[in-house]
Amino acid sequence: MTRTAFFISDGTGITAESLGRSLLAQFENVEIRMLTKPYIDDLEKAQALVDIIDAAAVRDGERPIIIDTIVDQRIRDVIRKASGFKVDIFSTFLKPLEQELDTHSSYSVGRTHSIGSDDVYMDRIHSVHFALDNDDGARTHQYAEADIILVGVSRCGKTPTSLYLALQFGIRAANYPLTEDDQDEDGFLKMPKALAPYRSKLFGLTIDARRLAAIRHERRPNSRYSSMDQCLQEVEQAESLYRSMHIPYLDTTRSSVEEISTRMIAETGLKRRFSPH
């Protein structure tokens, strides 16, 4: 069975898509084609989208799923005419909240993902710049300013996790790659000198060696870098270093960057500078 799901918004569509994907992920036996339609902010766009939804209903032979966060009642009325099963986020949740809080919602478009206060926005920008400046051990002299320093072998997820922590939570995350340069004379990983003063800030990432080899093969096929033996050796040595130095670590093999980041915050008690949009 194949169904089409439309995530519709008069803003970015991030809220509709995030909630929609979370809900639909619970139905593993249904193949769902997911389409995000942001900035449906006038009647003409709404009607054009209704035509697209109706065409999908004919093609699939089933009603599309419509999950929307449309604020404008006129646009919602147009979307309501489409041949789909509708989940209206705002009307479902805002009305009961208005009753409980004994006040009316502002019904403002884009409130969730707007810039908000200047301080929060600048915190976000500074944190992202910090993550980029301190990627792959580029500027180890700035580690005193870091909230956390991610360590791990190449391609285990350090960079995307650092950027996600910065963008979503304002956490200043640096990351350092564990390489052969950090081995002692016997070929074993030792604590890198640049990291030694900041052991309390370190957090390790690891990954299944087979998965690592597959990722590296896409970057450098048929190389020593992507060989199974090399990946297995690097992962084993990294995990041995974590255990010997009592560095907390997570396995990223089957985890999304969102899961890695939130688990890391929960385990370390990192303070968020702001909540994610």
Side-chain angles (χ1 to χ4, degrees):
M1 182 189 303
T2 300
R3 301 285 290 269
T4 301
F6 290 88
F7 307 133
I8 305 170
S9 175
D10 38 17
T12 63
I14 294 173
T15 301
E17 181 176 352
S18 297
L19 182 56
R21 287 184 179 275
S22 296
L23 293 171
L24 295 174
Q26 306 304 314
F27 301 92
E28 297 179 356
N29 60 329
V30 182
E31 182 179 345
I32 300 177
R33 180 187 305 109
M34 302 183 190
L35 301 173
T36 302
K37 299 294 182 180
Y39 299 111
I40 305 302
D41 51 10
D42 61 40
L43 299 180
E44 184 177 351
K45 292 178 183 177
Q47 186 55 58
L49 181 56
V50 167
D51 295 339
I52 293 172
I53 295 171
D54 290 346
V58 173
R59 181 190 64 233
D60 296 346
E62 297 283 355
R63 291 190 299 171
I65 308 298
I66 300 172
I67 297 177
D68 81 81
T69 54
I70 299 290
V71 171
D72 191 311
Q73 185 62 52
R74 297 171 305 158
I75 297 175
R76 288 162 62 189
D77 289 341
V78 173
I79 298 295
R80 193 172 288 124
K81 298 175 183 177
S83 302
F85 175 79
K86 300 167 190 66
V87 180
D88 186 334
I89 304 300
F90 280 169
S91 65
T92 300
F93 296 108
L94 281 185
K95 288 297 183 184
L97 281 172
E98 285 179 335
Q99 293 174 2
E100 178 64 26
L101 298 174
D102 194 25
T103 186
H104 291 291
S105 162
S106 64
Y107 287 90
S108 300
V109 177
R111 285 293 293 257
T112 306
H113 302 284
S114 63
I115 287 177
S117 72
D118 289 340
D119 289 344
V120 170
Y121 183 70
M122 292 311 298
D123 263 339
R124 183 191 300 270
I125 296 301
H126 289 324
S127 297
V128 170
H129 284 170
F130 185 88
L132 292 171
D133 286 344
N134 292 275
D135 185 41
D136 268 352
R139 287 181 171 85
T140 58
H141 66 276
Q142 295 183 354
Y143 282 179
E145 302 172 30
D147 297 317
I148 192 168
I149 303 169
L150 307 185
V151 294
V153 301
S154 173
R155 312 304 289 181
C156 70
K158 300 185 301 300
T159 297
T161 302
S162 297
L163 287 170
Y164 186 85
L165 288 168
L167 187 61
Q168 294 296 314
F169 305 109
I171 291 172
R172 293 185 172 89
N175 72 79
Y176 184 97
L178 298 174
T179 67
E180 292 178 342
D181 292 338
D182 299 309
Q183 292 178 349
D184 60 23
E185 59 273 10
D186 296 319
F188 294 101
L189 273 181
K190 59 183 179 181
M191 173 67 76
K193 291 182 179 179
L195 300 181
Y198 308 105
R199 285 180 58 173
S200 63
K201 296 184 178 185
L202 302 184
F203 196 98
L205 299 183
T206 188
I207 187 172
D208 180 79
R210 287 168 295 184
R211 175 62 178 153
L212 180 61
I215 294 172
R216 288 183 174 185
H217 182 76
E218 294 179 3
R219 186 180 179 89
R220 298 182 197 169
N222 303 316
S223 64
R224 175 173 173 266
Y225 171 75
S226 63
S227 70
M228 186 62 196
D229 287 344
Q230 180 67 19
C231 291
L232 187 60
Q233 178 185 354
E234 289 186 33
V235 169
E236 288 179 346
Q237 290 203 1
E239 292 182 3
S240 177
L241 177 68
Y242 301 153
R243 289 190 294 268
S244 65
M245 295 294 174
H246 304 290
I247 299 170
Y249 68 97
L250 288 175
D251 188 331
T252 67
T253 307
R254 295 177 180 83
S255 297
S256 66
V257 67
E258 295 88 349
E259 292 171 315
I260 297 166
S261 300
T262 51
R263 285 179 62 192
M264 188 181 302
I265 290 172
E267 291 192 17
T268 62
L270 274 173
K271 183 179 179 182
R272 308 179 186 193
R273 286 188 172 82
F274 49 77
S275 298
H277 287 331

